[in-house]
Amino acid sequence: MSETPKELKSEPSIQQTSQPDRRSPPPPVFQQPLPNQDPSETQQPSHLHSELQLTEFSLTNTSVGHQHQAKLMCIKNRRLLLLLLGFSSCAAILGLIYYMHQKCTLKNISNDYAGAATPCLSQACIRASIRLSMFDDPFTQPCDYFLFTCGSDRFSPDSRGRQRGQGIPGHPQNQNKMAVWPEKRGQRIDGKDRGLTEEKILNRKTVLLQYLREILESIDKSRSSAAQKAKRFYSSCLDTTSIEAAGAEPFLTLIQKVGGWAVSGQWNQTDFNSTLILLMRDYNTFPFFNLYVGKNQNESTNGTTKRYIQIDQPDLLIPIEWNSKTNKSQVKAQTLRPFLLSCQRYLALLGATSSSSMIHEGTFMSLSSELAVASAPLDYRLSQGQLYKRMTIKELQGKAPAIDWLRCLRAVFHPQPLNADDHVLLHNLPYIVHMSSIIGKWLNKYELSSSGPLQTYMVLNLLHTMMPALDSRFSETAHNLSVALGNTEEVVYRWKYCLLETERGFYSVLTHLLSERTTHKEAEEIIQNVFSSFKSKLHELKWIDEKALQSIMKKTQSLIPRLFTTKVISSEAQLDLFFSKVSFSNSFFSNYIQLLSLWQKRRSQFLTYQTEETDILSVTPYIQDNELIFPMGMFTLPLFHPTYPRAMNYGVMGFLIAKDILHLLLPDIYNQSETVHTVGECVWTHYLTVTEKERRGEGFFLSKAQQQEVWVQYSALQIALQAYHQSFTNHPTDTSILGFSYTRLFFSSFSQINCDSDPYHQFMPLEPSFLITVMCVKSNLCPRSLQCPNKTQQNFLQKC
């Protein structure tokens, strides 16, 4: 099935900041107004001076004979003069104090050594110091560290930090071909090697999964029963020895519960719709069409929260391709043989004899091919206006009579009340009509047949649903078919697969556990500081006109940034009650069936949710109504921790937050501000000069998308640094790691971030850490120069 999006999202955003000169006063990123200063105080001396002048003028026009008045005026003038001198002295002292404060602040932030800073000795900081020591330090090895692009294969595997994720499975640099992990079912890699490999990956999604893994594996018996059930499910999934020992027997037993099957034993010739309802309701299996819940996209602009049952084409098992000339899906002859071999293998694993196997293979492929003809890819259905077709269940019944629609939908979405006049949304009505016609034809043709082709079709679809809980022979068969079709699949670590499956059923439990461990105060503070710096950045840009600035400022000012907090089930008592009717054993197959039941229960609840449910695995912010929401999954170790030095938190998380905000709020900034082009070209000139690509004629011009992404990441780093200074001004102390100065720790932490796996990483033409080199050119921000002795042309580079 081609997944239908719930919302059509617009393309993302971008930004910049000017750099300070070593000879100039403190740079703009550090400029602050005088704290707590009343404007009237700064103007008072001039008022007094004017008053003195007026008084003197009146004295010169007064009779000399009025000696007593002159004496009194003289005394008054002296008092005023003394008062003036007093105010002037106070103003001078206050100015000196502020200057010294700013000087000390800058000195504290940019000093080469942080000997006076308190070392951070928390467990999180100890782990962070080990991580920092594993990477090359930009301030001790500046010459070659930054000089490759995202995806470069220039460096060998023994280059440590310079390798930057090249060849790391799952890293965004390798997304063109899915990475293969060394661990398969029942096989573990050495814990030490795994730790070294995964510790070097600062991919946000991988970091979150690792963090959730630690939470699940650390749950003890004192936790709530819901948390214990989540851990029990996760543990049974990891027990591959028991799964392998069980073989196909659990699935053969399940077949009997859904009416039997002619291949594996007696078929009870159950009613077609009854079997279909059973598969959809209890086993989350949708052989002929797909069901989910969501808003009507055509109504979303009106602020409605109403959700509809949405009916779509299914995930077909047979491999097909789209013929753009005939606008039909078709099965290619060269794909039929590997698909037939996989069917034969499945039937053999389920105990079918070779003679009976041929009959079921033939009818299954024939029925699959007929259904596939009416399926269509999402872009075609979108162009034909086939999405979000609204009709009542009664109207749908008239168009596709082979399915008992009201009965099916009531069973799947129980206990939600449904009637024939309720509306549903169709995403491929021609397929639904065609599917009903095919089922009707096969029911009439094979109704009395002992082979039961429709039952075979449904059982093999159920097999693919349950395959994750079966022994490795089944998944290997599926993998071999995928390879034969020219696909490459990611074989993930078993723990990661089990974690993702656990999240499907225990979303609310993991949300609660994650919320308990999220440091809300520190996360909110960094969000607010970065967002404040972002808004100040907007005024520094050169906009094409005032209207463009006002438009984005209006949009920005209307948003309230906040950390996500769930409004759904949250307390342990409520969670225990919700999961009270499910129990888990040591059998993963049995537990997996319970998981499907939980997933179906969650699906039915979507119809009545009044608020959007946030994906717990989300690691980027999103806009909901007038709120800019940051998922809790962003603020996890090793990217963020409340005991970290703030320089480390802002160098990593501050940068990522700023980059996300720029992408989200300024999707098309290139055409709105000339600054994007200027800064993008300036940074690129730095890169070509330092790498000497320009002299060798290897340089190329950046596209608009590349210039914009360079500007985004450069601006994000500036915003993060400014936000850190804002935090440091409010709380002028910080801890340190490895004795690094604050600025050095800020930049060194930032340099650990690999080419981040957001949708824009493909447009970044250089390693993000190179931006440190650009910021440190002719700047008093950095504790040490990053120039290489053999690259004297760097002396002529300008600030961007």
Side-chain angles (χ1 to χ4, degrees):
M1 183 197 79
S2 301
E3 184 181 355
T4 303
K6 309 300 182 299
E7 297 180 6
L8 295 179
K9 299 182 179 178
S10 61
E11 288 296 319
S13 96
I14 322 219
Q15 231 144 339
Q16 160 210 337
T17 301
S18 59
Q19 282 306 306
D21 188 276
R22 185 178 298 273
R23 298 164 296 180
S24 64
V29 74
F30 289 150
Q31 286 180 351
Q32 297 288 333
L34 284 170
N36 303 320
Q37 187 176 27
D38 189 336
S40 62
E41 293 182 15
T42 60
Q43 299 173 4
Q44 193 165 359
S46 60
H47 292 321
L48 290 173
H49 182 67
S50 299
E51 182 178 347
L52 180 60
Q53 286 181 326
L54 289 172
T55 304
E56 290 175 346
F57 177 77
S58 65
L59 280 173
T60 58
N61 291 278
T62 305
S63 172
V64 181
H66 298 89
Q67 296 296 327
H68 181 67
Q69 292 182 3
K71 185 177 181 180
L72 289 176
M73 290 303 297
C74 184
I75 294 173
K76 184 177 180 180
N77 288 340
R78 279 201 294 265
R79 288 177 177 175
L80 289 173
L81 182 59
L82 290 173
L83 186 61
L84 174 62
L85 291 174
F87 275 113
S88 300
S89 299
C90 289
I93 293 172
L94 286 174
L96 181 61
I97 291 174
Y98 176 72
Y99 171 76
M100 295 301 295
H101 171 73
Q102 289 294 90
K103 185 176 181 180
C104 289
T105 299
L106 291 175
K107 183 177 180 181
N108 285 337
I109 292 179
S110 60
N111 193 7
D112 271 1
Y113 303 99
T118 304
C120 180
L121 300 177
S122 68
Q123 288 297 319
C125 284
I126 292 173
R127 291 176 63 179
S129 65
I130 295 173
R131 170 182 287 277
L132 274 176
S133 64
M134 291 170 59
F135 284 80
D136 293 335
D137 178 19
F139 295 103
T140 57
Q141 297 177 318
C143 295
D144 299 320
Y145 182 64
F146 307 111
L147 307 188
F148 66 96
T149 61
C150 292
S152 169
D153 58 358
R154 170 180 172 182
F155 297 103
S156 61
D158 61 353
S159 60
R160 294 178 60 216
R162 292 190 297 272
Q163 188 67 7
R164 309 292 292 185
Q166 175 68 22
I168 296 176
H171 190 274
Q173 294 174 203
N174 304 313
Q175 286 183 350
N176 289 334
K177 54 178 182 179
M178 298 299 287
V180 178
W181 295 93
E183 180 185 8
K184 293 186 179 181
R185 193 188 299 269
Q187 176 185 351
R188 300 293 186 94
I189 63 175
D190 180 77
K192 181 179 179 181
D193 292 340
R194 180 184 65 196
L196 287 175
T197 301
E198 295 176 354
E199 273 292 301
K200 284 195 173 187
I201 304 174
L202 275 184
N203 177 296
R204 283 193 269 183
K205 181 56 73 66
T206 300
V207 164
L208 175 58
L209 293 178
Q210 278 280 16
Y211 190 69
L212 292 173
R213 175 192 184 184
E214 291 181 9
I215 291 177
L216 276 175
E217 295 181 354
S218 65
I219 294 175
D220 54 38
K221 295 183 179 179
S222 64
R223 298 295 315 198
S224 68
S225 63
Q228 289 293 336
K229 289 175 181 179
K231 180 175 183 177
R232 195 173 300 129
F233 175 85
Y234 176 74
S235 299
S236 68
C237 179
L238 291 175
D239 185 9
T240 54
T241 301
S242 298
I243 295 172
E244 294 294 324
E249 191 60 34
F251 185 74
L252 294 174
T253 302
L254 178 62
I255 289 176
Q256 301 308 311
K257 294 181 179 179
V258 297
W261 186 28
V263 170
S264 60
Q266 183 67 33
W267 175 44
N268 299 333
Q269 293 189 329
T270 51
D271 172 66
F272 165 75
N273 273 289
S274 297
T275 303
L276 179 61
I277 288 172
L278 187 62
L279 294 184
M280 294 193 299
R281 182 192 65 198
D282 295 343
Y283 304 107
N284 199 45
T285 300
F286 301 89
F288 300 103
F289 53 88
N290 227 328
L291 295 177
Y292 52 88
V293 175
K295 293 182 180 180
N296 185 347
Q297 187 188 48
N298 299 326
E299 297 177 355
S300 60
T301 56
N302 299 326
T304 180
T305 58
K306 182 175 175 57
R307 290 171 174 78
Y308 295 88
I309 295 173
Q310 310 202 23
I311 304 172
D312 207 340
Q313 63 187 38
D315 297 304
L316 295 166
L317 301 181
I318 191 169
I320 57 175
E321 71 172 29
W322 179 250
N323 188 325
S324 57
K325 294 182 178 179
T326 62
N327 289 332
K328 296 284 185 181
S329 291
Q330 61 186 27
V331 179
K332 297 189 68 173
Q334 55 265 40
T335 65
L336 285 179
R337 178 169 176 76
F339 180 64
L340 176 62
L341 291 175
S342 69
C343 292
Q344 291 174 346
R345 176 62 174 161
Y346 290 137
L347 292 171
L349 292 173
L350 296 176
T353 61
S354 56
S355 56
S356 65
S357 177
M358 291 182 61
I359 298 174
H360 292 281
E361 292 162 12
T363 56
F364 175 72
M365 294 185 66
S366 178
L367 178 56
S368 298
S369 300
E370 289 189 42
L371 291 172
V373 171
S375 65
L378 178 62
D379 55 353
Y380 175 78
R381 287 182 284 149
L382 185 63
S383 67
Q384 298 299 306
Q386 294 178 358
L387 304 182
Y388 300 100
K389 289 290 185 181
R390 190 168 177 259
M391 65 176 59
T392 64
I393 298 175
K394 182 179 180 179
E395 291 171 335
L396 176 60
Q397 188 66 56
K399 293 182 177 294
I403 306 296
D404 190 341
W405 290 102
L406 184 59
R407 186 177 161 207
C408 281
L409 297 178
R410 280 177 172 173
V412 170
F413 293 98
H414 178 79
Q416 306 300 331
L418 292 173
N419 59 65
D421 294 325
D422 286 330
H423 286 89
V424 294
L425 300 179
L426 280 296
H427 296 294
N428 190 346
L429 182 58
Y431 167 83
I432 297 298
V433 172
H434 175 81
M435 174 268 299
S436 176
S437 174
I438 295 298
I439 290 175
K441 183 186 75 173
W442 281 70
L443 281 173
N444 293 330
K445 185 177 181 181
Y446 296 100
E447 185 175 6
L448 302 177
S449 171
S450 60
S451 62
L454 290 173
Q455 184 77 356
T456 294
Y457 186 86
M458 289 189 285
V459 167
L460 289 179
N461 273 269
L462 177 62
L463 174 65
H464 277 75
T465 299
M466 300 304 302
M467 200 175 293
L470 293 172
D471 69 84
S472 58
R473 297 174 298 171
F474 291 92
S475 57
E476 286 170 1
T477 302
H479 175 71
N480 292 337
L481 172 61
S482 180
V483 172
L485 296 176
N487 303 321
T488 53
E489 291 185 328
E490 177 185 7
V491 183
V492 300
Y493 285 114
R494 181 69 184 180
W495 72 262
K496 184 179 290 187
Y497 161 76
C498 292
L499 176 62
L500 294 174
E501 290 298 318
T502 304
E503 188 273 338
R504 290 178 65 196
F506 293 91
Y507 163 86
S508 54
V509 175
L510 291 183
T511 300
H512 175 74
L513 295 173
L514 183 61
S515 179
E516 280 188 330
R517 289 162 173 78
T518 301
T519 52
H520 293 245
K521 179 181 176 182
E522 288 78 5
E524 287 281 6
E525 179 183 331
I526 194 171
I527 288 172
Q528 296 299 331
N529 284 341
V530 171
F531 192 68
S532 175
S533 296
F534 161 74
K535 289 192 293 185
S536 68
K537 165 68 71 177
L538 296 178
H539 293 284
E540 299 177 19
L541 302 180
K542 293 181 179 179
W543 297 85
I544 55 174
D545 53 48
E546 187 67 18
K547 184 178 179 181
L549 172 60
Q550 294 303 321
S551 174
I552 188 61
M553 286 303 300
K554 181 179 179 181
K555 179 181 179 181
T556 302
Q557 296 294 352
S558 66
L559 290 175
I560 303 172
R562 72 170 179 88
L563 181 69
F564 166 78
T565 52
T566 180
K567 299 176 182 178
V568 194
I569 299 174
S570 57
S571 73
E572 289 190 352
Q574 288 175 309
L575 290 171
D576 289 346
L577 178 63
F578 182 82
F579 290 96
S580 60
K581 294 183 179 180
V582 295
S583 59
F584 294 94
S585 64
N586 293 327
S587 167
F588 181 56
F589 189 89
S590 174
N591 292 345
Y592 194 77
I593 292 176
Q594 294 270 23
L595 173 77
L596 297 178
S597 176
L598 287 173
W599 178 248
Q600 191 57 39
K601 187 175 181 180
R602 181 180 172 188
R603 185 199 305 267
S604 65
Q605 288 179 332
F606 289 164
L607 274 176
T608 57
Y609 278 170
Q610 296 302 309
T611 57
E612 292 289 345
E613 186 179 59
T614 300
D615 180 8
I616 188 178
L617 301 179
S618 175
V619 290
T620 54
Y622 61 95
I623 296 176
Q624 180 176 300
D625 299 326
N626 67 329
E627 293 183 320
L628 177 58
I629 299 177
F630 294 82
M632 292 183 295
M634 295 177 64
F635 301 91
T636 59
L637 282 168
L639 298 177
F640 180 86
H641 196 266
T643 66
Y644 278 171
R646 294 200 310 278
M648 175 171 283
N649 277 333
Y650 279 86
V652 177
M653 188 50 58
F655 166 78
L656 293 175
I657 291 173
K659 183 159 69 81
D660 290 338
I661 292 175
L662 289 167
H663 280 148
L664 189 62
L665 299 183
L666 302 177
D668 301 309
I669 186 63
Y670 187 90
N671 296 322
Q672 295 176 292
S673 172
E674 62 184 63
T675 308
V676 177
H677 169 78
T678 303
V679 173
E681 285 299 315
C682 179
V683 173
W684 186 240
T685 300
H686 277 251
Y687 178 77
L688 294 179
T689 303
V690 173
T691 58
E692 299 182 346
K693 288 181 178 290
E694 192 172 36
R695 185 159 50 176
R696 298 193 299 267
E698 299 176 11
F700 61 90
F701 293 104
L702 296 183
S703 66
K704 290 183 178 180
Q706 288 174 320
Q707 286 183 5
Q708 179 161 297
E709 186 58 24
V710 169
W711 176 83
V712 162
Q713 299 206 23
Y714 185 58
S715 298
L717 186 58
Q718 292 177 314
I719 290 171
L721 186 59
Q722 181 173 336
Y724 174 56
H725 176 257
Q726 179 180 336
S727 173
F728 196 89
T729 302
N730 296 333
H731 311 283
T733 57
D734 201 358
T735 55
S736 181
I737 288 179
L738 299 177
F740 284 1
S741 69
Y742 300 139
T743 303
R744 180 178 177 184
L745 184 57
F746 175 94
F747 283 126
S748 297
S749 300
F750 163 74
S751 70
Q752 298 178 68
I753 301 178
N754 296 315
C755 302
D756 192 42
S757 57
D758 61 33
Y760 309 90
H761 75 274
Q762 60 182 316
F763 300 119
M764 187 63 176
L766 48 86
E767 163 66 16
S769 292
F770 181 78
L771 301 175
I772 303 174
T773 304
V774 183
M775 289 191 70
C776 290
V777 167
K778 298 183 179 181
S779 169
N780 59 356
L781 294 175
C782 300
R784 300 180 186 178
S785 171
L786 292 180
Q787 293 189 6
C788 300
N790 60 333
K791 292 183 171 62
T792 55
Q793 66 270 30
Q794 292 184 69
N795 295 324
F796 301 102
L797 293 173
Q798 300 298 317
K799 295 185 299 179
C800 294

